[in-house]
Amino acid sequence: MELDLDESSLAIGRIERALSRIEKALAAQAERPASAATAPPPESSALKAEVAAVIGELDRLIGEAKHG
Amino acid sequence: MADVRLSIAGRPYDVHCADGQEDRIRQLAAIIDEKARSVQGGTEVRQLLFASLMLADETQEARGKVEKAAPQSDSLRAAVALAESREAAAKDELRAAQTREQEALAEARAAAEREAAALAELETLRQGAPVVPAPPSGRHDRALMQIADRIEALATKVEQIP
């Protein structure tokens, strides 16, 4: 079964809300004392890789939508 | 040259004139003759004298009328020129307005066509029928949902970072 337009809008809404959560979490971390931020957690590089992968996927999707 | 015989106040006169002017000369002589005959009594010279005076009087009166009419004629010519100028300006404005109207109509028509096409496409999408050419919207929607899953998971991980 294919997704219709409403489900597409739902997906975009979910993405916007998740990005807002990430933004809030990063802002909260930035406000913490510097000592707590000196030791990056071990999964930090994995997170960065995942962020890069998601951005790449979004870019590919936007490119496909633009060029039909 | 042409020879013309005129009759004024009962006396014949033989005169010469340019070819083709005979009728004109006869017509003028008839006017003089009429004036001379209107003077009753007196000698022939006196009759001709009074005819000349009457014709001179009529000539002066006619000149006065022409001079009085000249300014009016000038005013009329100026009014006509002004009216023609305004008519030309109005025609130009009308043409410009028609051009603008045609452009606006064409733009409105194009916008209506675009709107109709968009509505038709939307209706097709609502009915679940394939769009021609069929865009990979379903694939894009699935990809969007997967990306939403991944970003939500990322958000959860970022929130769990101590």
Side-chain angles (χ1 to χ4, degrees):
Chain A
M1 172 184 149
E2 287 196 344
L3 299 174
D4 60 21
L5 280 179
D6 289 338
E7 292 183 18
S8 172
S9 300
L10 181 65
I12 291 171
R14 285 176 55 200
I15 290 171
E16 285 174 345
R17 284 192 295 276
L19 287 173
S20 178
R21 283 170 56 199
I22 292 172
E23 193 178 16
K24 281 182 187 172
L26 291 175
Q29 286 176 19
E31 286 177 1
R32 289 175 197 160
S35 58
T38 48
E43 68 272 26
S44 176
S45 58
L47 276 177
K48 285 180 183 173
E50 176 64 4
V51 168
V54 170
I55 290 171
E57 182 66 17
L58 269 175
D59 283 343
R60 186 190 63 75
L61 201 59
I62 290 168
E64 277 187 13
K66 277 183 181 174
H67 299 98
Chain B
M1 295 293 284
D3 295 326
V4 181
R5 170 160 285 206
L6 305 176
S7 175
I8 297 174
R11 177 188 285 271
Y13 295 92
D14 291 322
V15 298
H16 305 292
C17 68
D19 290 335
Q21 291 191 341
E22 297 92 330
D23 288 343
R24 176 69 176 157
I25 292 293
R26 287 194 192 98
Q27 192 180 11
L28 295 174
I31 294 171
I32 297 169
D33 183 53
E34 183 189 351
K35 295 292 179 191
R37 287 179 187 278
S38 69
V39 179
Q40 298 297 321
T43 62
E44 180 189 343
V45 173
R46 196 166 183 80
Q47 283 181 321
L48 290 174
L49 169 65
F50 277 98
S52 302
L53 286 172
M54 284 187 282
L55 289 171
D57 181 54
E58 288 179 7
T59 303
Q60 200 170 33
E61 193 176 344
R63 273 187 191 146
K65 285 181 181 173
V66 168
E67 284 170 5
K68 280 182 185 173
Q72 292 175 356
S73 178
D74 288 346
S75 299
L76 279 174
R77 270 195 288 273
V80 168
L82 182 63
E84 285 174 348
S85 167
R86 284 181 179 165
E87 184 188 6
K91 279 182 180 171
D92 289 346
E93 180 60 27
L94 181 63
R95 269 194 291 273
Q98 284 173 339
T99 303
R100 286 196 298 272
E101 187 183 355
Q102 283 170 357
E103 287 172 355
L105 276 174
E107 195 174 332
R109 207 172 288 128
E113 286 172 2
R114 284 198 298 274
E115 186 181 353
L119 284 173
E121 189 176 350
L122 184 61
E123 187 60 27
T124 308
L125 286 169
R126 276 183 183 155
Q127 291 172 358
V131 179
V132 180
S137 60
R139 186 156 52 84
H140 287 163
D141 289 343
R142 276 195 296 277
L144 267 178
M145 291 298 270
Q146 287 169 1
I147 288 171
D149 290 341
R150 290 168 74 177
I151 294 182
E152 282 176 343
L154 269 174
T156 304
K157 285 181 185 174
V158 170
E159 285 168 344
Q160 288 172 351
I161 293 173

